[in-house]
Amino acid sequence: MDREEILRRSRAEKEDEGNTYLENRGRRAGFYGLCAMYIALLAFNCWTEQPSESVLALFTSYLAAEAWGQHRAGGRRLFLILSLLLAGAALLNLAIYVRGVLG
């Protein structure tokens, strides 16, 4: 494949590497922010002796979706197993939270 062919295919994809880089940086910063808030909420709930199942359900569902996306993109079986386990944990935490609220 010659240089012109590579350039033509690259232009046809219409994907800007700069935008992809910025999106990935934003996602990484968002993930770190989510982790920091998760830790803060868990610490607060522990300090005030409040249940944390809702926070755990939210966080594990995010991790399950991320693992699922990695499985779909790369086809690695480990991410499939991880996504299923995390989704199960998210549903279990949600069920415990709903049961506690509804009494």
Side-chain angles (χ1 to χ4, degrees):
M1 194 177 330
D2 67 344
R3 181 175 181 268
E4 291 302 318
E5 175 72 17
I6 293 170
L7 287 173
R8 186 179 58 76
R9 285 187 181 184
S10 176
R11 288 184 192 117
E13 288 179 4
K14 295 185 181 180
E15 186 170 317
D16 184 9
E17 290 180 14
N19 285 340
T20 302
Y21 173 76
L22 292 175
E23 289 171 359
N24 288 335
R25 287 282 305 250
R27 282 189 196 101
R28 188 172 296 135
F31 176 72
Y32 292 144
L34 176 68
C35 288
M37 183 57 72
Y38 170 72
I39 292 168
L41 287 171
L42 281 182
F44 178 77
N45 286 348
C46 183
W47 182 59
T48 60
E49 298 179 4
Q50 297 294 316
S52 295
E53 286 83 11
S54 62
V55 179
L56 291 167
L58 183 66
F59 192 68
T60 52
S61 65
Y62 170 80
L63 293 176
E66 185 173 312
W68 176 255
Q70 289 177 341
H71 165 69
R72 296 281 296 169
R76 293 184 57 195
R77 187 182 199 103
L78 173 66
F79 288 118
L80 173 63
I81 294 167
L82 189 59
S83 69
L84 293 174
L85 290 173
L86 286 165
L91 291 173
L92 180 63
N93 280 305
L94 179 63
I96 292 170
Y97 173 71
V98 169
R99 182 175 174 210
V101 168
L102 296 179

